[in-house]
Amino acid sequence: MTISVATLMVVLGASVINIALPQAQSDLGISDANRQWAVTAYSLAFGGMLLLGGRIVDCVGRKRVFLIGLVGFAADSMISGLATTGAALFAGRALQGVFVALLAPAALSLIAVTFTEARERAKAFGVYGALQGAGGAVGLIIGGVLTEYTTWRWCMFVNTPIALAAALAALATVRESRLEGTRRYDIPGALLVTTGLVSLVWGFTHAAEKGWSSALSWALLIAGAALIAAFIAVERRTAYPVLPLRVVLDRDRGGAFLISLLTGAGLFALMLFLTYYLQANLGYQPLHAGLAFLPFSCSLIACDCRES
């Protein structure tokens, strides 16, 4: 149950801000070009640090890192909710993504070591997938309720009591485990891929605001491409790569990763733009906008449950 709550929080943290973003943008004076950073900062930090987080989980201890992720996420949710500028909100969201990059692989590892029988493990991962879909639905609805009846800041604050309660429950119910062997981390690889992705997104954002004739836009895009190229070079040479290239170059796994990338990019863009379309163009209240996403989220939950 504790791991399930943590799983729910990972998606909740990504989706809850969507419905609240129009109000947060107005309150903090965020420009149209920069508003996407409230979502992108979280996802970039999460994705860029996820592989390194998995390595840390295995070496340091699954329960220990699980607790660190929960407590850190709880604290940073409070900090994000107290943000007084757009930059402070974006920084808080990025830090949330870092802690979730520890929390998510810890939860998956705990499921794998807890359920050792193949059939039970398959069911457990099916529930994990269903809860991810539920997290999207719950996040959008909770975001709508809190934004309409309180303020967007409570969309951040709400994570804190949930995370702390899960941490207290984990202290008593989750057993510690870790992998034995060499503890080596690919810090350069993790930093290169994260900064490279941030530079690329920043370049596209700047181009949307200042135009493609801006020298800074092209400088950011070129720097992002160079950092990604450097990341690939580092991964080819390091003994403990954060992303072994053989995994990406494998036809089956590489194809699955590409599909996941395209699917995730489409979902994040859909939620962001549809949120503004429903509220700004169609005049939906935040709660109604959250409920409008419900059929989509329910279909995801149904598909995950069917596969399990």
Side-chain angles (χ1 to χ4, degrees):
M1 181 61 183
T2 303
I3 300 173
S4 299
V5 171
T7 299
L8 194 65
M9 275 183 40
V10 171
V11 186
L12 184 66
S15 63
V16 72
I17 190 64
N18 280 280
I19 300 298
L21 193 51
Q23 188 182 100
Q25 179 184 359
S26 176
D27 188 22
L28 300 179
I30 302 171
S31 68
D32 288 343
N34 287 328
R35 66 191 179 192
Q36 51 83 25
W37 281 109
V39 178
T40 308
Y42 177 93
S43 57
L44 282 178
F46 179 26
M49 301 300 294
L50 183 59
L51 295 172
L52 179 62
R55 180 68 177 168
I56 294 172
V57 166
D58 288 336
C59 295
V60 175
R62 298 178 178 97
K63 178 179 179 178
R64 181 180 299 177
V65 177
F66 185 71
L67 292 172
I68 292 172
L70 285 170
V71 174
F73 188 78
D76 193 59
S77 294
M78 288 295 297
I79 295 172
S80 298
L82 294 172
T84 56
T85 65
L89 176 63
F90 303 154
R93 291 286 291 167
L95 193 56
Q96 276 187 321
V98 171
F99 283 113
V100 171
L102 298 174
L103 182 59
L108 279 172
S109 296
L110 287 169
I111 291 174
V113 299
T114 301
F115 299 93
T116 55
E117 198 273 323
R119 191 176 184 86
E120 291 300 317
R121 181 180 292 180
K123 290 181 179 179
F125 280 111
V127 172
Y128 175 86
L131 284 172
Q132 285 191 313
V138 171
L140 291 167
I141 294 173
I142 289 178
V145 171
L146 293 176
T147 303
E148 185 161 343
Y149 296 109
T150 58
T151 174
W152 68 269
R153 297 182 186 277
W154 278 100
C155 293
M156 299 289 98
F157 295 151
V158 71
N159 294 311
T160 300
I162 300 173
L164 292 178
L168 289 174
L171 283 172
T173 59
V174 177
R175 293 181 298 175
E176 182 62 283
S177 63
R178 64 170 59 88
L179 290 180
E180 302 299 331
T182 305
R183 299 184 180 183
R184 297 281 297 275
Y185 306 107
D186 181 18
I187 303 296
L191 292 177
L192 282 170
V193 69
T194 304
T195 54
L197 290 172
V198 169
S199 183
L200 287 174
V201 174
W202 193 359
F204 284 117
T205 301
H206 193 270
E209 189 172 14
K210 301 297 183 180
W212 288 102
S213 60
S214 170
L216 180 58
S217 299
W218 286 105
L220 289 168
L221 292 172
I222 292 170
L227 288 167
I228 296 298
F231 166 72
I232 295 173
V234 167
E235 298 308 281
R236 292 181 62 184
R237 292 179 174 83
T238 186
Y240 298 92
V242 69
L243 178 61
L245 295 182
R246 68 178 185 277
V247 175
V248 180
L249 296 176
D250 179 80
R251 185 178 64 179
D252 294 334
R253 287 184 289 186
F257 292 150
L258 179 60
I259 292 172
S260 297
L261 172 65
L262 296 175
T263 302
L267 287 176
F268 274 105
L270 171 71
M271 287 186 177
L272 179 61
F273 287 107
L274 197 54
T275 292
Y276 276 88
Y277 176 72
L278 291 174
Q279 295 187 60
N281 293 81
L282 300 185
Y284 281 31
Q285 294 299 312
L287 178 56
H288 295 158
L291 291 173
F293 282 97
L294 194 56
F296 172 70
S297 299
C298 289
S299 67
L300 291 180
I301 298 171
C303 289
D304 284 323
C305 289
R306 184 179 179 83
E307 290 176 1
S308 63

